[in-house]
């Protein structure tokens, strides 16, 4: 494992380039992949110590990449970035080997801080109030979207709402 070798798994080319440049300025050697297949090619000859994985890679789930990265090196520090934050995907990401889970927008400072916080903190305070109805609704919508491969029409049908209603709800909560 190379101490400062980082792999970024992101299908948004502009965002991946921005992250790459920013981490290179901080002294990291950065490799990029835009899909699970590309990640496997990168891992064939490299052993990164850090990884940043987008949860949604086109039609693929970044969770598959998290599993692959963790299997490649269980000591790797993996941070998942997502515009589709939900408790369900956060739990799955951690189960599959992610060290941290950040909602977008997150910058290089946030990600590097997450690398440093790879161990759990038992002194983290409990939430002072229960999850709001809006958050529960959003998590349910996200879960249905994920189960329908992010097909809005199919998700709307499964949720029992009009497609335009679902599209409006998604537009209000930044997705992507």
């Amino acid at each position: 494992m190379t101490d400062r070798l980082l792999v970024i798994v992101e299908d948004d080319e502009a965002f991946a380039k921005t992250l790459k440049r920013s981490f290179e300025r901080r002294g990291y050697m950065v490799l990029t992949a835009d899909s699970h297949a590309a990640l496997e090619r990168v891992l064939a000859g490299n052993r990164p110590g850090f990884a940043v994985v987008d949860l949604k890679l086109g039609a693929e789930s970044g969770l598959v990449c998290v599993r692959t990265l963790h299997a490649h090196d269980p000591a790797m520090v993996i941070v998942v970035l997502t515009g589709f934050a939900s408790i369900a995907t956060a739990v799955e990401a951690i189960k599959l080997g992610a060290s941290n889970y950040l909602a977008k927008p997150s910058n290089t400072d946030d990600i590097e801080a997450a690398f440093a916080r790879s161990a759990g903190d038992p002194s983290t305070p409990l939430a002072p109030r229960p999850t709001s109805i809006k958050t529960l609704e959003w998590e349910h919508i996200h879960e249905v979207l994920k189960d329908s491969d992010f097909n809005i029409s199919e998700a709307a049908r499964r949720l029992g709402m009009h497609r335009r209603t679902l599209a409006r709800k998604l537009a209000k909560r930044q997705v992507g």
Side-chain angles (χ1 to χ4, degrees):
M1 169 170 59
T2 305
D3 286 347
R4 303 284 284 183
L5 183 58
L6 164 68
V7 62
I8 296 172
V9 186
E10 172 64 64
D11 63 337
D12 179 337
E13 189 177 337
F15 184 60
K17 282 182 181 178
T18 301
L19 270 183
K20 181 179 187 216
R21 280 192 306 267
S22 184
F23 275 106
E24 285 174 340
R25 282 193 297 271
R26 292 169 187 243
Y28 288 84
M29 294 183 340
V30 182
L31 306 167
T32 59
D34 62 359
S35 66
H36 183 257
L39 173 64
E40 288 181 320
R41 288 190 296 275
V42 166
L43 293 177
N46 298 286
R47 192 166 168 148
F50 301 92
V52 176
V53 180
D54 187 13
L55 183 64
K56 186 173 182 286
L57 299 167
E60 294 182 321
S61 168
L63 293 176
V64 175
C65 295
V66 171
R67 182 179 59 206
T68 299
L69 288 161
H70 185 68
H72 185 71
D73 182 0
M76 186 184 311
V77 178
I78 305 166
V79 173
V80 173
L81 284 182
T82 183
F84 295 92
S86 75
I87 292 171
T89 55
V91 168
E92 290 306 313
I94 300 303
K95 282 181 184 177
L96 291 169
S99 304
N100 227 310
Y101 182 95
L102 299 175
K104 288 181 180 177
S106 293
N107 60 31
T108 310
D109 291 334
D110 299 330
I111 297 166
E112 200 166 39
F115 287 160
R117 291 188 319 266
S118 61
D121 181 3
S123 67
T124 300
L126 299 176
R129 58 189 165 101
T131 305
S132 72
I133 295 292
K134 285 186 178 191
T135 300
L136 290 172
E137 176 189 45
W138 175 249
E139 288 174 2
H140 180 64
I141 287 171
H142 176 264
E143 196 63 35
V144 172
L145 268 171
K146 186 178 82 164
D147 290 343
S148 60
D149 295 323
F150 298 94
N151 179 318
I152 292 176
S153 296
E154 176 61 18
R157 186 188 65 72
R158 291 180 186 184
L159 289 165
M161 68 174 65
H162 195 279
R163 185 191 58 77
R164 283 185 291 209
T165 302
L166 178 56
R168 278 193 299 274
K169 286 179 180 286
L170 294 173
K172 286 181 184 177
R173 186 112 177 211
Q174 198 56 261
V175 176

